[in-house]
Amino acid sequence: MRVILIRHGIAHDRADPDCPPDPERALTEEGERKTRKVARGLRALGCAPTRILTSPYVRARETAQLVADAFDVDRARITLTEALLPEAAPHALFQQLFAFNNADEEIVCVGHAPNLDKVIAVALTGERAPVTALKKAGAALLLLDDLPRMRGALGWLMPPKVLSDLG
């Protein structure tokens, strides 16, 4: 299974006194624009997701919808999951992915730091200590061969600037 992990795009600054609670923070206009370019870059790489899993936080859902639009993924194939919340345990996402193991070949997962970096670390090393630092709207491709075993290989890791340039 190919799993594309995408960190949500740029959201409203937490330091802003008018900023809503963390789960309700939305993408900024710049975040939306850059995320659209990133999604086009993923298309240029030949990505072809059949399903999207996303954190229920607003900024992640908005990112997931922009990706869905770029790939014509039906809304019914977008699944909200707490396995992609910032502090979720990596094994929760692997269990969620296992549910789709035979039905979907490529799945996009939209989430947050530090969760996504811990998912990558567990897949590559078996440990939770991060070995990557995904930037906002950055993406990584994990190649998982044996779910629910939490092992895989890193196909690529792309910062948003590179993906934007591809798109």
Side-chain angles (χ1 to χ4, degrees):
M1 174 186 288
R2 292 168 48 96
V3 178
I4 301 166
L5 302 173
I6 302 174
R7 186 171 171 200
H8 65 78
I10 300 167
H12 289 281
D13 189 350
R14 287 182 217 183
D16 182 343
D18 294 327
C19 183
D22 193 43
E24 298 170 22
R25 288 193 306 129
L27 295 178
T28 62
E29 286 181 27
E30 177 187 14
E32 288 180 22
R33 187 177 67 255
K34 286 184 177 183
T35 301
R36 278 190 196 91
K37 287 181 182 178
V38 163
R40 288 194 299 268
L42 291 169
R43 281 187 71 111
L45 282 175
C47 296
T50 54
R51 177 174 302 281
I52 299 174
L53 304 180
T54 183
S55 157
Y57 285 11
V58 170
R59 61 193 178 275
R61 290 192 335 252
E62 290 174 337
T63 299
Q65 189 57 59
L66 292 170
V67 171
D69 291 347
F71 288 98
D72 295 320
V73 174
D74 189 275
R75 284 184 183 260
R77 299 194 55 84
I78 300 173
T79 303
L80 299 180
T81 177
E82 292 185 2
L84 286 162
L85 288 174
E87 299 300 329
H91 76 274
L93 180 58
F94 289 101
Q95 290 173 344
Q96 185 85 47
L97 290 168
F98 182 65
F100 301 109
N101 194 28
N102 294 322
D104 296 286
E105 295 178 11
E106 186 168 282
I107 297 178
V108 167
C109 296
V110 180
H112 311 267
N115 174 265
L116 294 178
D117 291 308
K118 289 179 181 178
V119 166
I120 293 168
V122 168
L124 300 181
T125 70
E127 303 293 326
R128 291 175 60 151
V131 294
T132 58
L134 277 178
K135 295 184 176 283
K136 290 179 180 137
L141 172 65
L142 279 181
L143 305 169
L144 302 175
D145 294 324
D146 188 19
L147 286 168
R149 200 174 128 239
M150 298 184 288
R151 292 279 187 220
L154 184 65
W156 45 256
L157 186 134
M158 300 268 183
K161 173 75 170 115
V162 171
L163 289 167
S164 291
D165 289 348
L166 289 172

